[in-house]
């Protein structure tokens, strides 16, 4: 996994720098996401893994799949990836590209786990408080997890806030063990 991220990083950075310069960040994000999803499909993996298919043939196959969702610059990017046998890195490149984009836009996707479904108003209030604390625009993603019993478990990048009853019970159990 770390090797994948290490190999993907220069491509993601180059793609982001190009897209930012050309003011095409959203378009490139969409194209990367689409092509990354394509290369993860079982049939596509099987086709791209055929040894009799040349590097150029693999790129052309992928471009055929994505023909309505790519432009000439992105096609050149795919050719570069194919030439270096890096088409399999597209999911990691897409993920890192999204991180670069979020950093530039100062946005952060936050997972909010709760035992029960939160209302839109509750999510909005929580997002406003987190935005103020993290100094970023927060996009909450609500997840219902009945195992929490009650409270919230918030994951924002490296920051984890465990205000769940399950978390408090686990801390109490640890304190009693020591």
């Amino acid at each position: 996994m770390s090797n994948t991220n290490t190999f993907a990083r220069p491509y993601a950075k180059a793609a982001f720098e190009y897209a930012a310069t050309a003011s095409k960040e959203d378009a490139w994000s969409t194209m990367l996401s689409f092509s990354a999803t394509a290369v993860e499909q079982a049939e596509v993996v099987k086709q791209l893994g055929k040894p009799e298919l040349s590097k150029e043939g693999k790129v052309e196959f992928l471009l055929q799949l994505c023909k309505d969702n790519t432009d000439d610059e992105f096609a050149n990017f795919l050719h570069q990836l194919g030439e270096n046998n890096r088409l399999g890195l597209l999911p990691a490149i897409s993920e890192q590209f999204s991180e670069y984009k979020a950093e530039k836009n100062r946005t952060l996707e936050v997972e909010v786990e709760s035992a029960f479904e939160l209302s839109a108003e509750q999510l909005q209030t929580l997002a406003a408080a987190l935005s103020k604390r993290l100094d970023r625009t927060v996009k909450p993603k609500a997840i219902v997890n009945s195992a929490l019993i009650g409270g919230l478990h918030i994951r924002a990048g490296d920051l984890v806030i465990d205000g769940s009853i399950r978390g408090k019970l686990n801390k109490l159990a640890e304190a009693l063990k020591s």
Side-chain angles (χ1 to χ4, degrees), residues 132-177:
K132 186 176 179 181
R133 179 176 177 184
L134 300 173
D135 191 31
R136 297 192 183 277
T137 303
V138 171
K139 297 178 183 178
K141 178 182 170 190
I143 300 170
V144 176
N145 180 356
S146 58
L148 295 179
I149 304 172
L152 297 173
H153 187 266
I154 301 169
R155 187 172 294 116
D158 293 340
L159 175 68
V160 177
I161 302 170
D162 190 355
S164 68
I165 293 175
R166 171 68 59 205
K168 291 177 182 181
L169 287 173
N170 288 342
K171 285 181 187 175
L172 179 61
E174 281 297 314
L176 291 173
K177 287 180 184 176

Side-chain angles (χ1 to χ4, degrees), residues 1-165:
M1 179 74 169
S2 64
N3 280 346
T4 301
N5 288 332
T6 302
F7 291 137
R9 189 171 295 114
Y11 295 104
K13 186 173 174 102
F16 181 75
E17 287 174 358
Y18 170 78
T21 303
S23 298
K24 294 182 174 183
E25 293 148 323
D26 290 336
W28 270 68
S29 183
T30 302
M31 290 184 285
L32 276 167
S33 179
F34 188 84
S35 59
T37 302
V39 298
E40 290 180 316
Q41 301 306 309
E43 276 300 312
V44 177
V45 169
K46 184 178 174 183
Q47 190 69 22
L48 293 176
K50 289 184 176 178
E52 64 271 11
L53 198 58
S54 69
K55 292 177 184 180
E56 185 66 25
K58 291 176 183 182
V59 172
E60 291 305 320
F61 171 74
L62 186 57
L63 283 172
Q64 268 304 357
L65 287 176
C66 304
K67 67 181 169 191
D68 295 333
N69 298 297
T70 60
D71 61 15
D72 291 340
E73 292 86 5
F74 190 76
N76 289 338
F77 179 72
L78 289 180
H79 280 285
Q80 190 64 42
L81 287 175
E83 189 176 307
N84 295 315
N85 286 322
R86 301 286 192 233
L87 290 174
L89 294 177
L90 277 165
I93 293 169
S94 178
E95 184 179 319
Q96 289 181 20
F97 184 95
S98 295
E99 290 171 8
Y100 286 129
K101 183 178 171 198
E103 183 65 33
K104 180 185 179 217
N105 296 334
R106 301 204 43 83
T107 59
L108 185 62
E109 189 171 296
V110 176
E111 288 182 5
V112 179
E113 279 186 87
S114 61
F116 305 97
E117 190 170 337
L118 298 175
S119 70
E121 183 181 322
Q122 290 171 320
L123 277 174
Q124 189 175 15
T125 303
L126 183 62
L130 286 170
S131 291
K132 186 176 179 181
R133 179 176 177 184
L134 300 173
D135 191 31
R136 297 192 183 277
T137 303
V138 171
K139 297 178 183 178
K141 178 182 170 190
I143 300 170
V144 176
N145 180 356
S146 58
L148 295 179
I149 304 172
L152 297 173
H153 187 266
I154 301 169
R155 187 172 294 116
D158 293 340
L159 175 68
V160 177
I161 302 170
D162 190 355
S164 68
I165 293 175

